[in-house]
Amino acid sequence: MPKEPVIEKVKINSLAYGGQGVGRLENGKVAFIRGALPQELVLARIYKRKKSFVEGRTVEILEPSPQRIAPRCPHFGPCGGCTWQNMSYADQLRAKEQQVREILGHPQELKESPILPIMGMDEPWYYRNQSELSFALGDNRAVLGQHLPGSFSLIEDLSHCYILSENSSEIFNTVRDFANEHRLAPYNRRTHQGFLRNLTVRLGKNTGEVMINLVTSPGTFPQWEFARHLKQSISPTSILWTTTSSLADRYLPEKETVLWGSNYILETLGPLKFQISSQSFFQTNTYMAEKLYRVIEEMAAAQSKETILDMYSGIGTISLFISKRVKKVYGVEFSSSAVEDAKINARLNNIENVEFTCAKAEDYMEALSDRKKNLSIAILDPPRAGVHPKVISSLLKIEPEKIIYVSCNPTTLARDLVAFSEHYDIKTVQPIDMFPQTYHIETVAKLKKKKLRA
Ligand code: SAH
């Protein structure tokens, strides 16, 4: 049998969730091609062949898409942090809304879901409040850039980032220069040798607070000199040094040393103040997070006598936003650092009608469904994997009047909405763009318990 070519011509028709162009090879097989836009004819290097589709990466654009624009950032492409800077923002928004319509339009049960136009940003740059960069060995020196999961390939050395804050480059450059002046060895993901692993920066966009967290393998380095140097040049609010010997990309911190300030930053959202610790989750787009919480508040339209369940509550943002309208909010979250923050945040804002529990959502819900608490609204804001089936089955037993589902992955949202659909009507679906220049989509759905037919 003749060997199939590595480079193939592909005509692209649409964009998949995940950012790849979807098209067909000349033999008709479906192809998912990175770096290609709708209506393009590209040459692609095929790196995966399956029975019904192939995956590849664009090596040459033979006929460019009318949607294609010049990316603003010189690191676009090799960096990998942004996927869609080669499309205008209006086209990105259209593509995201279309993807939500397609993904939710697919299952029969969801076909009628009313989907609102996507909410976008007026200024879709410099929006991120957090970044985690990785160190790698460049030309005999440490480089600092985005590490793509599962890839050992070289990291693009970033001098600037258009989606983090405008002064982020100063932080990257100062830390990298310090590392190179002191000949600190970058960690090698293949051999697991070396010291410098990650640099995490967290910013209070509204307060101006800055947390710098250097993550290394266990070992020594002149940490006090490092802290002194950062204080003089950048004056951050907090400087941390975290060590881990984990072999995985997603590390568990083994030891966290505060070199300066505290291990949290403060941020404000509307009238509320939040403490965010180094290990706690916080929405990465501060400006749009406030809009998201307002959408949730409006969809919930809670009354003063109601009791609310806020599952996957993080540092308590949604619970605290909604608390003033209702009798009681129960927040549930499995990260102990986030729960600690949530409890402190309730006190910081003098809010007394919220209660946070550190538990796995699925365990908490199973116990709760036996006791049948009088819950009228459940808010779900799960990670990308979606809601655990036990959470769904327990909610179907408790049957709150409304469920507000906040999702960062339309695919698992669709799966979970189908599971609710026999007992709940989908009233509204609101896509929100929390992640401009990337393919990621945030969606909020409002579900209402079906009325029993007489
Ligand atoms: N609602 C919060 C956090 C949402 S992110 C906000 O808007 O900021 C999802 C949260 O779910 C994270 O804080 C994560 O730690 C938590 N989480 C993930 N899996 C969980 C599980 N099985 N049980 C409880 N919490 C979980």
Side-chain angles (χ1 to χ4, degrees):
M1 222 169 86
K3 241 182 138 217
E4 293 184 276
V6 178
I7 305 283
E8 298 238 28
K9 223 185 245 183
V10 193
K11 179 76 190 166
I12 305 295
N13 304 312
S14 59
L15 284 166
Y17 173 62
Q20 310 92 326
V22 191
R24 289 195 184 268
L25 301 181
E26 287 183 314
N27 68 8
K29 208 176 214 186
V30 174
F32 293 91
I33 307 297
R34 284 209 241 158
L37 299 180
Q39 301 173 53
E40 280 181 340
L41 182 67
V42 300
L43 287 182
R45 178 178 298 281
I46 306 299
Y47 53 76
K48 193 187 261 177
R49 286 184 188 274
K50 294 269 172 164
K51 239 200 190 114
S52 58
F53 67 91
V54 300
E55 282 176 30
R57 183 179 296 109
T58 305
V59 287
E60 196 184 330
I61 301 162
L62 301 175
E63 289 169 20
S65 163
Q67 288 181 18
R68 184 172 282 279
I69 60 165
R72 182 168 180 181
C73 179
H75 300 299
F76 179 73
C79 164
C82 296
T83 29
W84 279 357
Q85 274 195 35
N86 51 8
M87 256 200 295
S88 75
Y89 188 51
D91 281 331
Q92 293 177 30
L93 289 177
R94 259 192 293 277
K96 290 187 188 189
E97 190 181 313
Q98 185 55 26
Q99 287 179 357
V100 173
R101 289 184 191 283
E102 266 165 30
I103 295 168
L104 296 194
H106 199 61
Q108 191 56 38
E109 297 90 330
L110 307 180
K111 279 211 177 344
E112 305 291 310
S113 308
I115 299 172
L116 298 174
I118 190 167
M119 288 167 66
M121 290 187 85
D122 296 333
E123 183 51 39
W125 301 101
Y126 298 122
Y127 63 84
R128 276 190 75 100
N129 57 26
Q130 196 187 344
S131 71
E132 187 182 71
L133 300 183
S134 297
F135 289 95
L137 186 64
D139 196 6
N140 201 23
R141 54 191 285 283
V143 297
L144 187 57
Q146 209 63 243
H147 167 68
L148 303 176
S151 135
F152 292 112
S153 57
L154 274 181
I155 279 176
E156 169 84 356
D157 202 16
L158 293 186
S159 55
H160 190 83
C161 177
Y162 282 96
I163 62 170
L164 197 60
S165 79
E166 274 183 276
N167 58 4
S168 55
S169 43
E170 198 186 332
I171 302 174
F172 306 159
N173 296 338
T174 306
V175 174
R176 180 179 32 217
D177 289 350
F178 182 92
N180 283 319
E181 270 158 33
H182 291 78
R183 316 263 337 131
L184 302 178
Y187 179 76
N188 182 319
R189 288 190 168 69
R190 230 188 269 272
T191 61
H192 304 293
Q193 304 286 315
F195 181 67
L196 293 171
R197 295 178 69 130
N198 302 98
L199 173 70
T200 304
V201 177
R202 198 159 228 192
L203 309 165
K205 290 274 190 180
N206 295 326
T207 55
E209 297 206 354
V210 177
M211 173 188 281
I212 297 177
N213 185 2
L214 184 71
V215 183
T216 72
S217 295
T220 56
F221 86 113
Q223 76 269 31
W224 301 114
E225 194 183 330
F226 175 69
R228 214 167 27 246
H229 184 65
L230 288 186
K231 272 196 294 185
Q232 276 164 5
S233 46
I234 299 167
S235 56
T237 324
S238 95
I239 306 173
L240 308 181
W241 173 28
T242 304
T243 57
T244 177
S245 44
S246 159
L247 301 184
D249 276 350
R250 301 279 352 139
Y251 65 88
L252 278 178
E254 276 150 26
K255 188 168 169 220
E256 186 180 271
T257 311
V258 178
L259 302 177
W260 168 249
S262 43
N263 75 337
Y264 61 83
I265 56 165
L266 289 174
E267 179 59 305
T268 60
L269 280 184
L272 298 174
K273 286 195 271 288
F274 293 97
Q275 156 174 327
I276 314 165
S277 295
S278 59
Q279 298 305 321
S280 302
F281 173 90
F282 188 68
Q283 291 287 353
T284 52
N285 185 334
T286 312
Y287 178 75
M288 290 307 273
E290 193 178 331
K291 297 217 163 184
L292 169 72
Y293 298 144
R294 301 245 179 254
V295 167
I296 297 168
E297 206 182 334
E298 234 168 71
M299 281 190 185
Q303 306 291 316
S304 56
K305 57 181 188 318
E306 292 191 287
T307 299
I308 313 253
L309 183 62
D310 176 17
M311 301 298 286
Y312 311 92
S313 51
I315 62 162
T317 38
I318 299 175
S319 297
L320 298 180
F321 251 86
I322 211 155
S323 63
K324 62 181 180 299
R325 283 174 171 260
V326 300
K327 192 165 122 206
K328 181 93 189 182
V329 188
Y330 294 95
V332 183
E333 160 65 48
F334 79 169
S335 148
S336 55
S337 114
V339 173
E340 281 311 304
D341 285 347
K343 288 179 180 169
I344 289 168
N345 290 333
R347 284 204 294 276
L348 269 179
N349 294 287
N350 298 316
I351 293 174
E352 288 175 352
N353 59 338
V354 293
E355 195 178 307
F356 293 102
T357 305
C358 187
K360 276 193 168 170
E362 45 277 29
D363 300 343
Y364 181 92
M365 282 310 297
E366 269 201 317
L368 192 71
S369 63
D370 292 338
R371 282 186 275 134
K372 278 232 170 199
K373 264 205 181 145
N374 210 2
L375 287 169
S376 47
I377 304 176
I379 299 169
L380 311 171
D381 186 6
R384 296 179 56 74
V387 174
H388 194 287
K390 282 186 190 163
V391 173
I392 299 183
S393 55
S394 307
L395 278 171
L396 289 175
K397 272 198 225 162
I398 299 171
E399 289 202 308
E401 231 6 80
K402 293 178 210 160
I403 297 174
I404 313 293
Y405 191 132
V406 189
S407 156
C408 55
N409 181 351
T411 313
T412 51
L413 173 68
R415 179 199 68 198
D416 294 344
L417 289 184
V418 168
F420 282 119
S421 64
E422 200 183 322
H423 298 277
Y424 283 85
D425 288 321
I426 294 149
K427 287 293 187 189
T428 4
V429 176
Q430 173 69 72
I432 302 182
D433 192 20
M434 309 284 287
F435 316 103
Q437 320 304 334
T438 78
Y439 66 82
H440 294 285
I441 311 177
E442 189 85 6
T443 315
V444 192
K446 173 177 173 176
L447 287 70
K448 200 158 187 298
K449 194 165 94 182
K450 282 189 178 166
K451 294 220 163 55
L452 283 178
R453 296 228 175 89

